[in-house]
Amino acid sequence: MKDLDIKSLRLLVAVCEHQNIKRAAEQSHIEPSAISKRIAQLEEALGTPLLMRGRRGVLPTPAGEALLQHARTLLFTLERLEQDVAALSGGIKGQVRLAASASAIAETLLDDVAAFMREAEHRDIRVDIEEQLSRDIVRGLREGTASVGVCWDNVDVSGLQHRPYHSDQLALAVHPQHPLAREERLRFDQTLGHEHVGLPPSAAVHALLQRAAGQSGGAVAYRAIVSNFDAALRVVAAGLAISVVPAQVGQRYAAMLGIRVLPLADDWAHRRFIVCFRDFDTLQPAARRMVEYLHARAQEPQAAPA
């Protein structure tokens, strides 16, 4: 199609969501015949049927399903474009698209961003935060899909600039009845004879633990793989496994879940996070403020977790 008909795509999405042309027409304040005509024009332009009638109503054909996925992505992008332009015309001074790792978000980042936005001079800055893997954060910064990233400093950041952010300590979360719960501090290799619950292989901490286990001549025995630290700690609280988590996150849940959090004595268990960007001088003013603020917050003494 030489000219993409956005209105027709909106109507196609509405029909597929309602599985009914009449209800889609009511929602869109248009006659059902007008919707049918627009979809027929799309089908003619593409040379294939997009909808079929089934027992559950109007459903997309395989070609219609493919177009539907692209239409939703395109309409979402257009909505964001409209919001961004409207925000700038309404006086917002800027917007920061921030990509961050799960560990950074689970620990201090959300509190720091909230503190940033509460300051009077930042009240006209909007911040979007998206959780990503460290390698995806770096790729996004290089490709320009994010302006600022926060990730672990062991990732390859060649071609990017960065500043130090907070550090953290990895620890072992255990059920109070677990044999290791008697320890006050232990090495990671002492955990290898016990079942773990961990994050997916794509997570940076998973690769770190696999490497550390290999260097010790052992392997991590996973009883469960979960999507985040919250889920891992709940598995620990159920007495099903142990888990390596950021100490700050574990201590936050310790009293609520009744678990113990034991610091790991290994040197690699102390991690440093960084704030990354392509070029500080070319960042938008709002993004520069964010980078400076996060870097400054990292220099302040951190309160002990409750």
Side-chain angles (χ1 to χ4, degrees):
M1 294 183 292
K2 294 182 179 179
D3 297 309
L4 191 60
D5 186 342
I6 301 300
K7 178 65 174 178
S8 295
L9 292 179
R10 290 188 191 278
L11 293 174
L12 174 68
V13 171
V15 169
C16 292
E17 289 177 348
H18 289 284
Q19 297 182 357
N20 186 288
I21 292 178
K22 183 178 179 181
R23 286 200 294 270
E26 291 172 353
Q27 178 197 45
S28 305
H29 306 290
I30 189 174
E31 291 296 322
S33 59
I35 291 185
S36 297
K37 181 178 179 181
R38 282 181 173 270
I39 292 178
Q41 290 171 340
L42 280 175
E43 291 176 328
E44 182 179 357
L46 292 170
T48 185
L50 299 174
L51 298 176
M52 60 183 175
R53 294 190 178 277
R55 289 180 297 175
R56 294 186 297 162
V58 179
L59 300 173
T61 63
E65 186 66 43
L67 179 59
L68 179 63
Q69 293 179 15
H70 288 294
R72 284 175 170 152
T73 300
L74 177 60
L75 293 174
F76 175 77
T77 301
L78 290 174
E79 288 171 5
R80 292 300 303 272
L81 174 61
E82 182 180 0
Q83 292 171 5
D84 291 350
V85 172
L88 291 171
S89 65
I92 290 180
K93 295 177 183 176
Q95 177 179 359
V96 182
R97 287 194 169 89
L98 179 63
S101 67
S103 292
I105 291 175
E107 295 183 53
T108 57
L109 182 63
L110 295 183
D111 290 337
D112 286 347
V113 171
F116 172 85
M117 298 179 72
R118 281 196 298 267
E119 296 199 351
E121 63 267 35
H122 302 149
R123 65 181 180 274
D124 293 328
I125 295 176
R126 193 171 75 193
V127 181
D128 290 348
I129 303 176
E130 181 177 353
E131 180 181 316
Q132 295 182 4
L133 299 172
S134 291
R135 64 170 183 267
D136 295 332
I137 293 170
V138 171
R139 182 171 63 248
L141 292 172
R142 289 173 179 148
E143 295 174 352
T145 57
S147 52
V148 180
V150 178
C151 60
W152 189 19
D153 69 355
N154 78 326
V155 69
D156 178 13
V157 293
S158 57
L160 300 176
Q161 297 176 6
H162 58 87
R163 294 187 181 179
Y165 187 47
H166 291 295
S167 60
D168 79 349
Q169 174 73 36
L170 291 176
L172 187 73
V174 297
H175 189 278
Q177 301 303 318
H178 193 277
L180 293 177
R182 296 189 296 268
E183 305 291 337
E184 292 299 324
R185 187 179 179 88
L186 70 169
R187 301 182 316 277
F188 179 65
D189 59 11
Q190 294 175 260
T191 75
L192 296 180
H194 304 273
E195 291 184 317
H196 285 240
V197 52
L199 300 190
S202 56
V205 70
H206 183 100
L208 173 68
L209 299 183
Q210 292 296 105
R211 185 165 57 250
Q215 291 172 349
S216 300
V220 184
Y222 284 106
R223 184 169 187 184
I225 296 293
V226 296
S227 61
N228 53 54
F229 293 122
D230 176 89
L233 289 168
R234 293 182 185 279
V235 173
V236 171
L240 300 176
I242 60 177
S243 186
V244 175
V245 301
Q248 186 178 44
V249 176
Q251 289 163 354
R252 189 180 304 145
Y253 282 81
M256 179 177 66
L257 296 178
I259 59 176
R260 289 208 66 201
V261 179
L262 313 172
L264 289 175
D266 307 82
D267 290 340
W268 53 260
H270 181 79
R271 305 186 299 174
R272 165 68 71 174
F273 292 92
I274 52 178
V275 183
C276 310
F277 39 89
R278 280 200 292 183
D279 185 342
F280 184 78
D281 293 334
T282 61
L283 285 174
Q284 293 295 320
R288 287 203 299 270
R289 288 190 194 181
M290 174 66 77
V291 169
E292 291 171 341
Y293 187 87
L294 293 179
H295 175 60
R297 290 279 287 193
Q299 312 312 309
E300 299 172 2
Q302 291 181 248

